[in-house]
Each structure stands twice: as C-alpha cells, then as structure tokens.
Amino acid sequence: VKSSNTSIFDPALCEVLYHWFCDKGGSILDPFAGGSVRGIVANYLGYKYTGIDIRQEQIDSNRDQAADILDVNNQPNWYVGDSNEVLEGMAIQYDLVFSCPPYADLEIYSDDPNDLSTLSYEEFKPAYFEIIEKACARLKENRFACFVVGDVRDKKGNYYNFVGDTVEAFKAAGLHYYNEAILITPV
C-alpha cells in the first residue's frame, strides 16, 4: 500500500550537491530514483541522470513531470526494476552516485516483496549493502558517492543506526568516508 504522505526531495540540495561532487556535464547514477526531482534538476543543470526505481507507476510519474519541465531532447533516463538486478547488467561508468534511499520501513512505497521498504530491517540491510556495492562499482575512478539519509526508529522507538549502516555499506564497497554534512531546515 503506497503512502500518500511520501517525502519530496529538496531541489536546492540537489543543485548544491551536484555542483560540489560532480564534474560539469557529468553523469549521475541514482539507484533509488523514487521521485522526479533529482533527475529533473540534474538534466536541467546540464548533467546526464540515470535513475532506477522498482515501481512502474513512479517512473511513469517521473517521466510525465520531466516532460512538462525539460526539453524533449534533455530527458533523464529512468529504468524500471530492482536495482540489485538492473545494476548487474549496466556497463556504463558514472561520475557520481547520488540518491536518497528508502529509510528502511519508515515509508512503505508499495506492496512489491522486492521493494526494500517492505522488508524488516534485518532483511533490508543486506539488500541495501548489495545495491550500494553494485552502484559504487559503476563509479569512475576518483569520484564521489553521496546519499542523503537520516536515522529512523524501529516500531519500539529505538534507532536502527541507518546512518552508520550507510557509511559501513560504502566502506564495504571500497569507498572512503570523505565528509558528512548536516542539513538543518526550519521546523
């Protein structure tokens, strides 16, 4: 069951992070492309965006929104499928891996059993690590990966340590922990 209260990614944050961590005109890979903002902002700014999402209806919505905003010859590239599978067949190398993954089960996006948001944290974590590893294998040498994450609590109110697990997933994929930034927004 898809939540009607899903979050919307901040376009200004996209712009800043793209300018900081991706070469001008570079290519961006988003393994959790559950919204149109990251793709539209990337292509609007002259980058080449490729996103993957498991939900056909989300990709259809992303494409509709992009068609309303961007020139027909400047559309983001969105794939429908499980990132664990789609990334297996990709041969393209990217300048930046950038995403905002599902925060475990905080928002449930679908009832698809392969949707990470439907999994228990014990099931979520290894699949999440695997997707990060496969996405980072698509990075060109000496490039960045940037995920926007926050911690999330289990049903008893305890933190999962999602931020720490995300850092560990990137380290396990062979990357180095370069920086952390904390976005503070008004309440």
Side-chain angles (χ1 to χ4, degrees):
V1 175
K2 185 177 183 226
S3 169
S4 61
N5 298 324
T6 56
S7 56
I8 297 173
F9 201 86
D10 183 344
L13 182 60
C14 285
E15 182 175 4
V16 168
L17 294 175
Y18 291 159
H19 286 309
W20 282 355
F21 295 111
C22 191
D23 293 339
K24 187 175 183 170
S27 56
I28 298 163
L29 173 62
D30 184 348
F32 300 105
S36 65
V37 172
R38 293 186 298 277
I40 291 171
V41 171
N43 278 47
Y44 181 82
L45 295 173
Y47 299 98
K48 297 166 198 77
Y49 175 92
T50 298
I52 306 164
D53 195 81
I54 199 164
R55 295 168 294 135
Q56 179 71 55
E57 69 276 6
Q58 182 62 60
I59 296 301
D60 291 345
S61 176
N62 290 359
R63 289 176 178 151
D64 289 345
Q65 291 172 38
D68 287 343
I69 297 168
L70 298 170
D71 184 77
V72 70
N73 296 316
N74 185 28
Q75 294 295 304
N77 186 16
W78 279 292
Y79 289 95
V80 177
D82 181 341
S83 285
N84 248 330
E85 295 171 10
V86 175
L87 289 167
E88 285 281 334
M90 281 192 163
I92 300 169
Q93 296 291 116
Y94 293 88
D95 295 298
L96 174 67
V97 170
F98 180 67
S99 198
C100 183
Y103 284 30
D105 59 359
L106 181 64
E107 294 177 293
I108 306 299
Y109 298 104
S110 76
D111 56 6
D112 183 329
N114 293 323
D115 185 335
L116 266 60
S117 71
T118 66
L119 304 177
S120 70
Y121 198 72
E122 293 75 27
E123 297 166 315
F124 170 90
K125 190 175 162 182
Y128 181 58
F129 272 56
E130 191 173 352
I131 290 169
I132 287 174
E133 181 180 8
K134 289 176 182 176
C136 291
R138 305 278 29 102
L139 268 176
K140 293 177 183 174
E141 193 169 324
N142 199 27
R143 297 296 196 274
F144 289 96
C146 179
F147 268 32
V148 177
V149 295
D151 238 321
V152 61
R153 296 179 186 274
D154 66 20
K155 302 304 181 220
K156 294 180 181 177
N158 301 306
Y159 279 130
Y160 284 126
N161 190 31
F162 183 51
V163 174
D165 287 339
T166 299
V167 171
E168 288 307 311
F170 281 103
K171 286 181 176 181
L175 274 68
H176 301 282
Y177 189 32
Y178 177 75
N179 205 354
E180 176 179 324
I182 298 172
L183 176 64
I184 300 174
T185 57
V187 176

